[in-house]
Amino acid sequence: MSSKSLPYSRKDVDYDNAKFRQRSFFKVITQSVLTNNIRHDCLSCSTGKFLLLLMILGLACLTLTRPSPSQPVNHGLEKDTRNKEDSKVILSGGSRLGKFFRKPPRLPPQLPPDEKRGIDGLGGLGATIVDALDTSLIMGIDEISSEAGTWIETHLSKGMNSTSRGPKSNVYLETAKDLGDRLLSAFTSSPTPIPFSDVVLHDSSAHPAPDGLSSTSEVSTLQLEFNYLSTVSGDPKYSVAAMKVLEHMKTLQKVEGLVPIYISPQSGEFSGENIRLGSRGDSYYEVSGTFLFEINPKWIGFVGELPYGSKGSFHPKMDHLVCFLPGTLALGATKGITKEKAMIDNLLNFEDLENLKLAEDLAKTCFEMYSVTSTGLAPEIAYFHTEEYSEANLDGGNKNSNYVNDIIIKSADRHNLLRPETVESLFVLYRITEDPKYREWGWQIFEAFEKFTKVDSGGYSSLDDVTTLPPHRRDKMETFFLGETLKYLYLLFGDSSTIPLDKFVFNTEAHPIPIEGATK
């Protein structure tokens, strides 16, 4: 229920990455000076206003008249071993007055190329610990699981008014209920069954996004979790609130099952015409229609977009996020059991077989999005060469790929955020088809992650450009890498009896939830 920390495409930068934008001189003055206590204490009288004006002018004069130092500014991160004179911040060059007042954008720290520290973008909330906890449990790493559980009990259970301090499982349940209660404000604050997009966990308040809209994927992504929370807690309020969303959305008009990526909490209606299975739409879909094109001279299937609705032009653009679809189609076809068993028991009809074949074709496309690049890692977004669309000199860099001229990667889309969707589908397809090629493809992807994203000091880093060698690292690891990507890779190479697909269902963040009655 919160905005993503990195944009899915350049179109989202103004909203999703707004905190990194430079502020105007006027905004700096009003926000940095007039919003502090001086505004309350001084501006209530004319003398205060006069003194404040003198202070600003005096600072400006001091800045403009100060001689320029010859030494450059040190932008690196150094240990604080310098004397007081050396540690002074020095401004040089350009407009002194402007540089004095303008605070730099809140960008990640600039570190030496061989040093990475990561970024805590959620104020110590421990999202990586929580997201990766079940990964350590599935892998049987008891020491890490215990350490993570202790951290959650110590840090996330504070101030919850919980009287239960018993076994860890009870602590997890109480923490989950507390989080669920806070998230419920998104549903209860909205005038319709469609929840607001943003929740402030500190005070449990909910607010619409700046444009007033919620993402379709956001409003339809808590049903599994809230239903399960109601089951284990015995309180139906979570399930009731979440299921009202789907009940309402069933009444809305769709185009062959496809819906726009935005919906209004105020009206309860879809907003705009943009249809895609990638960002802001992905979590809504279980099985949906796809758009396939034949690429000449080779055939490769992909899922495109309809940015102007079902009657508008088709765009051969496919987010990496869409690569969840092969696994979803395969699960829909066999319900999690192997293809061989389903065939023996005569459980597959013609449509099931078609969906399974489609799943395998799309999984190949997702893998080729990796193998077509110099690093062997996929970009965030790819375009596909068709009869109507082509662009030259935008290939992935691997000239040995059969699809080097067919998969187009624009400069703004060449980053890799360590996403899990492709290895998720490889895991599901291996479990269902038992075809070893999915393990082979997964191993190639894993080796590329190890070679180009692993950091010596610990962790893994997102990349700026997968088409260049060596790729520049961003010094940021999203929580889903440990919570999803590595989990799916582990399950891909592990025994099929671990989290069997006919007894568990994975939510959109790769957390397995037992199917009621199936695990007994």
Side-chain angles (χ1 to χ4, degrees):
M1 304 298 275
S2 61
S3 299
K4 304 293 184 184
S5 58
L6 284 174
Y8 291 110
S9 68
R10 293 296 179 185
K11 294 180 180 179
D12 294 326
V13 168
D14 289 342
Y15 172 68
D16 291 334
N17 229 21
K19 64 182 179 181
F20 293 152
R21 285 180 289 171
Q22 289 279 4
R23 294 178 295 168
S24 67
F25 178 78
F26 174 76
K27 284 188 176 181
V28 172
I29 292 292
T30 57
Q31 293 177 4
S32 299
V33 179
L34 298 184
T35 57
N36 59 21
N37 292 333
I38 297 176
R39 180 173 64 179
H40 176 76
D41 298 332
C42 295
L43 297 187
S44 59
C45 64
S46 58
T47 303
K49 294 179 181 178
F50 178 72
L51 291 175
L52 179 60
L53 180 60
L54 284 179
M55 181 182 70
I56 294 175
L57 291 175
L59 290 173
C61 290
L62 286 173
T63 306
L64 291 170
T65 57
R66 183 176 179 178
S68 299
S70 57
Q71 61 266 41
V73 179
N74 190 334
H75 291 291
L77 295 178
E78 300 178 1
K79 294 183 179 180
D80 191 16
T81 56
R82 298 170 296 180
N83 58 38
K84 293 182 179 179
E85 183 65 26
D86 292 336
S87 64
K88 292 179 181 179
V89 177
I90 299 174
L91 301 172
S92 61
S95 171
R96 292 184 170 280
L97 185 59
K99 285 190 176 182
F100 180 86
F101 286 109
R102 178 176 288 116
K103 292 183 179 180
R106 294 170 56 192
L107 294 172
Q110 296 299 308
L111 296 168
D114 58 344
E115 182 179 359
K116 301 295 178 185
R117 299 182 181 180
I119 296 169
D120 176 13
L122 294 175
L125 191 61
T128 297
I129 295 174
V130 175
D131 211 10
L133 175 60
D134 63 343
T135 301
S136 64
L137 290 170
I138 291 171
M139 296 177 68
I141 312 176
D142 296 336
E143 181 180 354
I144 293 178
S145 302
S146 177
E147 184 178 355
T150 300
W151 188 94
I152 290 172
E153 183 176 10
T154 303
H155 296 276
L156 292 189
S157 299
K158 290 183 177 181
M160 288 171 41
N161 298 320
S162 173
T163 58
S164 175
R165 306 297 294 176
K168 284 286 193 301
S169 59
N170 202 36
V171 172
Y172 294 150
L173 177 57
E174 292 301 317
T175 306
K177 287 166 59 179
D178 179 72
L179 177 59
D181 290 339
R182 296 174 192 269
L183 292 177
L184 273 178
S185 63
F187 299 83
T188 58
S189 301
S190 173
T192 69
I194 303 302
F196 288 142
S197 66
D198 298 340
V199 175
V200 180
L201 296 178
H202 177 70
D203 59 9
S204 300
S205 62
H207 313 277
D211 59 5
L213 302 176
S214 295
S215 297
T216 302
S217 61
E218 289 179 350
V219 305
S220 55
T221 193
L222 284 177
Q223 282 68 30
L224 276 174
E225 296 91 327
F226 271 29
N227 278 327
Y228 188 58
L229 182 55
S230 285
T231 298
V232 296
S233 68
D235 192 335
K237 65 182 179 181
Y238 309 106
S239 177
V240 170
M243 294 310 293
K244 281 183 179 179
V245 179
L246 293 187
E247 291 171 3
H248 174 78
M249 294 179 77
K250 286 180 182 178
T251 68
L252 302 180
Q253 185 176 2
K254 305 172 183 65
V255 180
E256 297 184 5
L258 301 177
V259 299
I261 61 173
Y262 290 107
I263 190 168
S264 170
Q266 299 295 335
S267 67
E269 299 289 331
F270 289 116
S271 179
E273 297 181 323
N274 195 337
I275 295 175
R276 66 186 183 213
L277 274 68
S279 60
R280 303 190 183 279
D282 52 344
S283 298
Y284 169 79
Y285 297 94
E286 291 183 0
V287 178
S288 74
T290 57
F291 309 91
L292 299 181
F293 270 71
E294 185 174 324
I295 295 178
N296 194 13
K298 297 169 291 294
W299 188 93
I300 184 171
F302 66 93
V303 180
E305 297 183 358
L306 297 171
Y308 307 108
S310 60
K311 297 181 181 180
S313 60
F314 172 81
H315 282 209
K317 169 180 174 286
M318 181 170 166
D319 292 6
H320 183 277
L321 287 164
V322 179
C323 286
F324 79 92
L325 188 58
T328 301
L329 288 169
L331 284 172
T334 73
K335 311 304 183 290
I337 64 176
T338 65
K339 178 183 178 182
E340 181 182 20
K341 185 178 188 319
M343 294 287 287
I344 292 174
D345 295 341
N346 198 28
L347 299 177
L348 302 181
N349 57 32
F350 177 77
E351 184 179 358
D352 292 330
L353 292 172
E354 286 289 298
N355 283 336
L356 189 55
K357 175 64 167 58
L358 176 59
E360 296 199 67
D361 290 339
L362 290 175
K364 174 177 172 55
T365 300
C366 290
F367 171 69
E368 295 298 343
M369 289 167 62
Y370 282 77
S371 62
V372 79
T373 70
S374 300
T375 59
L377 293 171
E380 179 74 353
I381 299 170
Y383 290 77
F384 292 83
H385 178 194
T386 67
E387 292 183 0
E388 293 80 15
Y389 174 82
S390 65
E391 288 195 51
N393 303 317
L394 291 176
D395 60 74
N398 179 11
K399 304 301 182 181
N400 294 321
S401 169
N402 291 330
Y403 301 98
V404 66
N405 296 318
D406 301 312
I407 297 178
I408 299 165
I409 307 175
K410 297 184 179 182
S411 58
D413 306 324
R414 294 178 178 177
H415 51 287
N416 180 287
L417 304 183
L418 314 174
R419 289 199 183 277
E421 289 78 19
T422 294
V423 293
E424 171 187 0
S425 287
L426 297 183
F427 152 63
V428 173
L429 281 167
Y430 175 75
R431 286 282 185 94
I432 289 176
T433 68
E434 300 178 312
D435 189 331
K437 72 181 179 183
Y438 296 113
R439 279 184 165 177
E440 295 169 5
W441 292 354
W443 186 253
Q444 291 183 44
I445 293 172
F446 173 72
E447 286 189 313
F449 277 131
E450 287 288 296
K451 182 176 182 179
F452 293 111
T453 71
K454 190 173 183 177
V455 180
D456 292 339
S457 56
Y460 293 74
S461 174
S462 300
L463 303 178
D464 275 334
D465 189 342
V466 295
T467 69
T468 60
L469 292 175
H472 181 265
R473 295 173 177 174
R474 285 188 166 184
D475 195 31
K476 185 171 185 179
M477 182 180 74
E478 304 290 345
T479 67
F480 51 67
F481 182 67
L482 300 182
E484 301 183 54
T485 309
L486 290 188
K487 180 187 298 170
Y488 283 129
L489 282 168
Y490 176 81
L491 292 172
L492 171 61
F493 299 111
D495 192 275
S496 294
S497 62
T498 304
I499 316 293
L501 294 180
D502 59 340
K503 298 184 184 301
F504 289 86
V505 59
F506 288 87
N507 72 354
T508 188
E509 305 301 328
H511 302 302
I513 296 174
I515 299 173
E516 189 172 358
T519 56
K520 295 180 181 179

